[in-house]
Amino acid sequence: MSAMLVGREDELRFLGGLLERVGEGGGAAVVRGEAGIGKSTVLSAVSRQAADRQMRILMTTGVQSEAQIAFAGLERLLRPVIEQADRLPPAQRGALLAALGRSGEAVPELFLVALATLSLLAEAAAQSPVLLVVEDAQWLDLASAEVLMFVARRLEFEPVVLVAALRDGFDGPFADGGLDELTLPRLTGAEAELVVDDRLPPEVRAWVLREAAGNPLALVELPSVAGTGGAGPVLPLTARLEDAFTARMAGLPQATRTLLLLAALNDGDALSELLEAAAILDGEPLDADDLLPAIAARLVEVHAGSVRFLHPLMRSAIYQRSSAGRRHRTHAALARVVADDDRKVWHRAASTAGPDDSVAAALEEAAARAQRRGGIAAGRAAMERSAELTRDPVRRGERLLHAAELAFELGRRDDVLRLLADADRVGLSERQRWRTAWIRDSFDDGVLGRAQAAWSLAQVAGRAAAEDPDLALNLLYGAALRCWWTEPGAEARRSVVATASRVAVDENDPRLLVILAYASPVDCGGLVLERLRRHEHAGDGRAARMLGNAAHAIGAFDLAAGFFADSLHELRAQGQLALLARARTLQAWCSGQLADLGVAIPAADEAYRLSRDTSQPVIAATARATQALLVGMRGEQDDAYRYAAEAERTALPVDANAVLSAVQFARGAAALADGRHEDAYAELRRMYERADPAYHPATRCYAVGDLVEAAVRSGRAGEVRGLMAEMTAVGRRTPSPALHTGLRYARALLAGTGEAQPLFEAALRSRPIHRARAQLSFGEWLRRQRRVAESRAHLRAARDTFDALGLNPWAERARGELRASGETSRRRTPDARDRLTPQELQIAQMAADGLTNREIGQRLYLSHRTIGSHLHRIFPKLGVTSRAELRTTLPGDTVT
């Protein structure tokens, strides 16, 4: 065994296990550890195992100097299989080729590129299983890293294994992506002694063992820098290793050192580039033989015209030991020989010590190219460097703002604040200050942040309204979101509404409606509902999503569910997965309120997965709260409380009142379905206490009927009469369908004997779930009034509705009431919602609608092979043998 593999047996067994199972499905893992701990050696060993299994091996390496070039790492990984892109659907093929710089088309959303990558790898794996190896993942460009993390989460059914090496101390997609992690520890004393050559002088061997402290690379390399007395300066471990590599360069010819410096600073690996640049740098031609001394010193290897350092610290050591002037001249030489425009401009920028307007302009053009290719991170870096090299203060401020806007798109709060602070020091125009306010105070789309920002954003929007209505609406949208997620106070809400009314836009503009609905869902509810009903067609996916948001906020759940359904196709087709996650989350919540579980269950599941893919923790928490509601309604109590607790852990630290209110709603609904009425009352009552974090002015309107039922059944009817009066007064201010449905039901439950029947009959005029709840309570009331024969019709209807909706606890309660009335009741037959996972249910629905595996995969951002594997499991679960049988097996209509 290699000295660098001593003590790594467990990690190799785990990774070998991934390779062994590749015929059944793949997986992904991250190998973590400090510099020199043996990550690269472990990856090399796994690659050898994969080669022995006849697997195809695709490799890429993160390069620090290349981290600003979008999709550079992905292009290197896919280069050997890119010819198979012709097999991809046109939209995916076009997105991938554009991202990799093989076409001039603008790249759509990054996740369409990610889906294309997954599809391409699935095509390659159909010929032989594939191992993806990612070295130095911490230096991979962000676009490539996000694509590969997307792929890694979807390898369950693919014959593809991804293994990435990640150095400790770095953030990024691979650092917190939820993949299996193998952390390589330092070697024990006994293991370290096996590595160090016992032929060394005893004092040198003892020094190496002491200084290396169990780091394998240090154990191998430090002997080359050990003095005869074994003493040396106390340096950090990485510095000591860099010294060891630098020592190997001692005595190398000048031509070899020139080539090594070029290789260390180059963002490519072509030997031809190094030779051409060396001739410029040193004024005389060199050839490949000039690298032979470096190969003999185990610094680099050359294969098929490519030069590769044997360890990334070698690159770092050479860089650190060269002077700034020498590095500038080296980058200038590289800028003259590389062909790619983006690489060229970055080398020009690295060769420049002071302001240079021509380089700044070229970087601005590079930023635009990066954005067209979907490389927002690369665009941000280019704009920031462009600003640094810009002489004119006004132009520099504009470029800093542009960089901040791109950092805002990436969700990089620290970068946003730093860039805005730099821009403030330059001096900005009033219009630029409006943009600054929007970026700073609307950060993260209003999901998180200071509640008081709602008022300040409204003030800035008021100043911008006449000159720039679109910017004013953006500012107000951020303010309104603050009003929804947190509690900014009545003055801030009024300010947002008043300012919105002064913006010169069409009164039916979806942006205006969602602002009004989020800022003041009660007082603006009637106006918003009237205007929503004018929208037969939303026009596009984003508009439909906004209309759905507005309808959801005012409790018009049937309208909201329809708008969200209208938004899905376009959001999927364009790869706007962040917005799709939000649309699916609220579609699931609204459909759950209507007990349309065939839509709600798969929507909530997909929303949770997508919100994690797109790094939206509060949206993920909302999806979890929705899942808690859905499983609680179905009687799955443990899952309900587990999901609710997970959502609460995310929402509490950021004061996301809307999520906390949804959590309490879910807990209360679960307890009510389980017949634990005291618990249900305690959970739901919190939604109405203004000092409680779960208080929310809109969400409380949805829970009136549940709260009153819990109070009545637990003997607390008197405790909610004051609250009923309060909510009745709210009802006079808004026509919210959800609120008035709950009020009708609550009045019937609280009514005296002489008033109850007409109130129950009024409560029956509702959507199926609410009608069934009213029928059950009405039937119970009739039986208590000794009107047993009359009660049975209502109880039967309630039972049948609950069965059809899949609400098992409620159906069993109706059966119990029927038994008490003297009537037996058949058992409910389990349906697809009971037998399938949420994702399987969604796939089955799409297959039943006639979509092919490829079409389903495109919609769900999965490969067609994964869809086929799911269907292979679904058919026997449902007892069907064909797609034609699925539609008759699946309950209800579907919206996917």
Side-chain angles (χ1 to χ4, degrees):
M1 177 183 288
S2 162
M4 293 292 290
L5 289 177
V6 170
R8 305 307 182 213
E9 293 82 3
D10 289 344
E11 291 81 4
L12 288 175
R13 274 194 294 271
F14 176 86
L15 296 172
L18 286 179
L19 301 182
E20 288 176 7
R21 298 192 301 272
V22 77
E24 302 168 5
V30 174
V31 180
R32 299 191 63 142
E34 65 183 358
I37 205 66
K39 301 183 296 295
S40 296
T41 306
V42 168
L43 264 59
S44 295
V46 172
S47 297
R48 289 193 296 272
Q49 291 183 37
D52 291 342
R53 296 174 180 276
Q54 306 302 308
M55 295 178 68
R56 183 163 200 169
I57 302 169
L58 303 178
M59 301 183 65
T60 192
T61 301
V63 179
Q64 198 167 11
S65 61
E66 197 178 58
Q68 314 305 341
I69 301 176
F71 299 109
L74 185 67
E75 193 278 333
R76 190 160 43 247
L77 182 82
L78 299 182
R79 197 180 296 161
V81 295
I82 193 62
E83 72 278 358
Q84 298 184 44
D86 288 343
R87 302 178 186 178
L88 303 183
Q92 292 183 37
R93 181 175 63 251
L96 185 60
L97 294 179
L100 301 185
R102 294 175 180 247
S103 81
E105 298 297 320
V107 176
E109 293 289 328
L110 178 139
F111 292 103
L112 190 56
V113 178
L115 175 60
T117 300
L118 177 64
S119 299
L120 181 64
L121 292 171
E123 292 291 345
Q127 301 167 18
S128 62
V130 172
L131 172 65
L132 307 176
V133 178
V134 183
E135 288 266 22
D136 289 321
Q138 72 276 0
W139 289 327
L140 208 60
D141 64 277
L142 184 60
S144 294
E146 289 183 340
V147 165
L148 291 178
M149 277 302 304
F150 176 97
V151 169
R153 295 190 182 109
R154 287 161 173 79
L155 296 180
E156 180 183 1
F157 297 106
E158 303 295 336
V160 178
V161 173
L162 184 150
V163 183
L166 181 69
R167 188 184 296 185
D168 284 344
F170 286 84
D171 296 324
F174 283 96
D176 53 4
L179 302 183
D180 287 331
E181 288 192 0
L182 305 177
T183 300
L184 302 185
R186 293 194 176 197
L187 302 185
T188 65
E191 290 169 339
E193 288 182 358
L194 294 175
V195 175
V196 180
D197 189 343
D198 57 11
R199 292 171 296 179
L200 289 172
E203 65 275 14
V204 173
R205 191 168 190 269
W207 179 83
V208 170
L209 287 168
R210 183 177 65 252
E211 292 297 305
N215 181 283
L217 187 62
L219 291 166
V220 171
E221 297 295 340
L222 286 183
S224 66
V225 294
T228 55
V234 178
L235 299 173
L237 180 60
T238 300
R240 292 202 298 273
L241 291 177
E242 288 179 349
D243 281 345
F245 294 136
T246 304
R248 289 197 205 165
M249 294 181 63
L252 291 181
Q254 175 60 42
T256 304
R257 292 201 299 272
T258 294
L259 289 172
L260 286 174
L261 180 59
L262 282 162
L265 270 59
N266 196 14
D267 48 10
D269 57 8
L271 175 59
S272 58
E273 289 181 348
L274 303 186
L275 297 175
E276 190 176 349
I280 296 172
L281 193 61
D282 283 358
E284 59 183 42
L286 303 182
D287 61 34
D289 288 346
D290 288 305
L291 271 176
L292 291 177
I295 296 171
R298 294 183 296 115
L299 290 170
V300 297
E301 63 180 5
V302 179
H303 178 70
S306 295
V307 179
R308 178 177 177 269
F309 282 99
L310 292 177
H311 195 280
L313 285 179
M314 298 176 189
R315 182 188 295 268
S316 175
I318 294 168
Y319 178 89
Q320 295 296 339
R321 298 313 189 269
S322 62
S323 68
R326 180 72 168 167
R327 291 199 297 268
H328 288 164
R329 290 190 295 275
T330 302
H331 279 296
L334 287 167
R336 291 174 59 183
V337 303
V338 299
D340 180 80
D341 288 340
D342 291 329
R343 294 177 60 206
K344 184 184 294 291
V345 72
W346 277 107
H347 282 300
R348 287 181 65 197
S351 71
T352 304
D356 187 317
D357 286 332
S358 67
V359 177
L363 281 164
E364 187 171 33
E365 293 174 2
R369 285 195 300 273
Q371 288 178 258
R372 285 196 299 272
R373 294 175 58 195
I376 305 301
R380 182 210 59 78
M383 283 307 306
E384 181 174 0
R385 182 63 174 143
S386 174
E388 292 171 357
L389 298 178
T390 302
R391 287 188 174 86
D392 178 59
V394 175
R395 191 71 182 128
R396 187 185 313 136
E398 182 63 27
R399 285 170 171 164
L400 285 168
L401 272 185
H402 190 175
E405 288 170 341
L406 294 175
F408 171 86
E409 286 190 47
L410 291 167
R412 300 289 187 85
R413 177 181 293 275
D414 291 344
D415 284 345
V416 169
L417 297 179
R418 175 178 55 78
L419 289 164
L420 291 180
D422 290 346
D424 286 339
R425 284 191 288 272
V426 170
L428 301 174
S429 68
E430 185 175 15
R431 179 185 286 272
Q432 288 174 324
R433 288 196 297 272
W434 295 341
R435 287 169 58 197
T436 298
W438 170 56
I439 298 168
R440 179 179 288 120
D441 287 334
S442 293
F443 189 84
D444 205 15
D445 203 16
V447 172
L448 305 173
R450 299 174 293 112
Q452 61 266 35
W455 187 87
S456 62
L457 283 169
Q459 303 310 301
V460 177
R463 295 194 292 273
E467 190 173 340
D468 194 338
D470 285 333
L471 177 58
L473 285 179
N474 285 335
L475 291 161
L476 287 169
Y477 182 59
L481 281 167
R482 288 300 196 301
C483 293
W484 178 261
W485 289 105
T486 61
E487 180 45 67
E491 181 182 356
R493 292 178 182 276
R494 286 193 294 269
S495 177
V496 173
V497 172
T499 304
S501 68
R502 298 198 301 271
V503 179
V505 295
D506 187 288
E507 66 176 14
N508 296 314
D509 191 310
R511 296 171 296 173
L512 177 61
L513 296 186
V514 76
I515 289 167
L516 297 175
Y518 275 163
S520 186
V522 171
D523 290 323
C524 292
L527 179 149
V528 171
L529 183 60
E530 176 192 353
R531 294 180 184 176
L532 284 172
R533 286 174 172 160
R534 301 175 188 171
H535 282 272
E536 293 185 12
H537 302 288
D540 61 66
R542 284 177 179 264
R545 187 181 72 88
M546 286 195 169
L547 294 172
N549 289 344
H552 152 262
I554 64 170
F557 296 127
D558 54 344
L559 284 177
F563 285 129
F564 287 127
D566 289 344
S567 75
L568 300 182
H569 177 74
E570 185 172 314
L571 295 177
R572 290 189 193 283
Q574 295 178 353
Q576 298 181 65
L577 297 198
L579 295 182
L580 180 62
R582 295 181 178 217
R584 287 294 262 171
T585 297
L586 293 184
Q587 182 192 26
W589 178 264
C590 295
S591 298
Q593 295 292 327
L594 303 172
D596 187 356
L597 302 189
V599 172
I601 290 173
D605 176 73
E606 184 181 21
Y608 179 70
R609 288 184 284 105
L610 291 177
S611 60
R612 294 180 66 207
D613 277 337
T614 54
S615 302
Q616 300 182 94
V618 177
I619 303 303
T622 308
R624 270 303 197 220
T626 304
Q627 288 179 306
L629 172 70
L630 300 175
V631 297
M633 292 166 67
R634 291 172 57 79
E636 299 164 21
Q637 299 293 307
D638 290 345
D639 284 343
Y641 280 86
R642 177 167 58 86
Y643 290 153
E646 183 181 332
E648 188 175 53
R649 283 193 295 272
T650 299
L652 269 174
V654 295
D655 297 323
N657 303 94
V659 181
L660 294 170
S661 188
V663 165
Q664 290 308 120
F665 194 131
R667 286 172 171 158
L672 193 60
D674 199 39
R676 294 182 288 106
H677 301 119
E678 287 275 3
D679 292 344
Y681 179 77
E683 301 284 14
L684 294 168
R685 194 69 178 80
R686 288 183 53 190
M687 298 173 64
Y688 297 87
E689 302 292 343
R690 292 181 183 273
D692 195 292
Y695 174 83
H696 191 270
T699 308
R700 65 176 181 150
C701 295
Y702 315 154
V704 172
D706 284 0
L707 176 68
V708 170
E709 180 171 353
V712 169
R713 293 183 184 275
S714 60
R716 297 173 176 272
E719 297 182 22
V720 294
R721 293 191 184 277
L723 186 142
M724 269 298 291
E726 177 188 346
M727 297 310 296
T728 298
V730 172
R732 287 193 286 270
R733 293 159 52 199
T734 177
S736 167
L739 173 59
H740 285 279
T741 295
L743 287 173
R744 286 195 298 270
Y745 184 45
R747 292 188 192 106
L749 293 171
L750 291 170
T753 301
E755 304 168 335
Q757 181 161 342
L759 292 175
F760 272 119
E761 289 170 348
L764 295 179
R765 296 191 292 272
S766 301
R767 296 188 67 83
I769 175 57
H770 306 296
R771 181 171 64 250
R773 292 271 297 275
Q775 286 169 328
L776 174 58
S777 294
F778 190 20
E780 291 172 330
W781 181 83
L782 288 169
R783 192 174 63 78
R784 290 196 302 271
Q785 302 302 312
R786 301 183 184 280
R787 297 161 62 180
V788 176
E790 293 178 64
S791 73
R792 289 174 185 152
H794 292 289
L795 294 173
R796 283 188 217 107
R799 176 203 63 198
D800 293 344
T801 300
F802 291 138
D803 277 348
L805 295 174
L807 304 180
N808 303 331
W810 293 99
E812 289 308 307
R813 183 179 296 179
R815 284 183 169 81
E817 285 295 322
L818 279 169
R819 284 194 297 272
S821 76
E823 179 173 307
T824 59
S825 187
R826 56 177 170 71
R827 303 291 299 176
R828 172 180 175 268
T829 303
D831 62 25
R833 291 167 299 201
D834 306 299
R835 299 169 182 167
L836 303 181
T837 68
Q839 189 174 55
E840 288 173 343
L841 178 59
Q842 185 176 18
I843 290 169
Q845 290 168 342
M846 290 182 169
D849 286 340
L851 274 66
T852 66
N853 288 3
R854 285 189 181 276
E855 290 168 336
I856 297 171
Q858 289 172 42
R859 290 197 182 189
L860 299 186
Y861 282 71
L862 299 169
S863 79
H864 64 87
R865 181 188 176 99
T866 294
I867 301 303
S869 297
H870 275 298
L871 287 172
H872 185 70
R873 296 183 179 187
I874 289 168
F875 279 20
K877 285 186 179 183
L878 298 182
V880 302
T881 58
S882 69
R883 292 171 184 252
E885 296 178 67
L886 282 176
R887 178 165 286 280
T888 57
T889 306
L890 299 174
D893 295 330
T894 63
V895 178
T896 53

